[in-house]
């Protein structure tokens, strides 16, 4: 994801999802990040990377936690990198990964309702309407 694409997701240029509708470009870019997070393996990988003491983790420490081949783990990590959620660096034989907190902060900002503001009023269902 380019810096410009990341900027589209930033709080400065687009309002929170709960305060104003996203435009088509914002929704397209944001959907790529959510698509990357929609897979349970990727979500676990992101959690393992983000919660690691020291801020980074070797792929050799991630792979044993899953009943998957190393190339499959690498494939999932690639999706997280392409979504701008993590970054990595090769050191000899191993690749080390770390969280990019700017993206998770942006996601949090987009999904957070400003404090003290109620959600937009929803239309009332007519009496007897099915739920």
């Amino acid at each position: 994801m380019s810096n410009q694409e990341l900027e589209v997701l930033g709080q400065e240029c687009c309002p929170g999802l709960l305060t104003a509708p996203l435009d088509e470009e914002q929704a397209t870019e944001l959907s790529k990040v959510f698509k990357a997070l929609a897979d349970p393996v990727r979500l676990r990988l992101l959690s393992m990377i983000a919660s690691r003491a020291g801020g980074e983790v070797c792929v050799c420490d991630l792979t044993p936690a899953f009943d998957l081949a190393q190339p499959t783990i690498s494939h999932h990590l690639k999706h997280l990198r392409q979504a701008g959620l993590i970054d990595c660096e090769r050191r000899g034989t191993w690749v080390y990964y770390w969280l990019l907190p700017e993206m998770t902060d942006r996601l949090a900002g987009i999904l957070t309702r400003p404090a003290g503001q109620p959600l937009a009023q929803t239309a009332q269902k007519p009496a007897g309407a099915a739920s």
Side-chain angles (χ1 to χ4, degrees):
M1 196 172 273
S2 72
N3 287 342
Q4 183 181 12
E5 290 170 331
L6 290 176
E7 192 61 32
V8 169
L9 297 175
Q11 294 176 4
E12 301 81 24
C13 64
C14 63
L17 184 66
L18 302 178
T19 58
L22 298 173
D23 66 29
E24 185 175 346
E25 183 178 351
Q26 292 166 334
T28 299
E29 294 307 317
L30 187 56
S31 71
K32 292 175 187 178
V33 179
F34 284 117
K35 185 175 181 180
L37 291 173
D39 185 282
V41 171
R42 292 181 203 148
L43 196 53
R44 284 187 60 209
L45 284 166
L46 183 68
S47 175
M48 291 171 72
I49 294 166
S51 64
R52 183 66 168 220
E56 63 181 26
V57 61
C58 178
V59 69
C60 64
D61 294 324
L62 296 170
T63 305
F66 299 89
D67 190 24
L68 299 169
Q70 188 277 325
T72 304
I73 297 296
S74 292
H75 172 77
H76 286 295
L77 290 166
K78 177 183 172 184
H79 281 282
L80 293 172
R81 281 193 333 271
Q82 289 174 335
L85 291 161
I86 62 172
D87 204 354
C88 66
E89 175 182 78
R90 178 172 292 281
R91 298 180 196 154
T93 305
W94 301 109
V95 179
Y96 289 79
Y97 292 88
W98 58 88
L99 179 72
L100 294 175
E102 301 84 12
M103 179 57 78
T104 54
D105 291 350
R106 287 183 177 126
L107 291 175
I110 288 168
L111 294 173
T112 301
R113 179 176 52 92
Q117 291 187 5
L119 291 175
Q121 294 296 321
T122 57
Q124 296 293 323
K125 291 181 184 177
S131 5

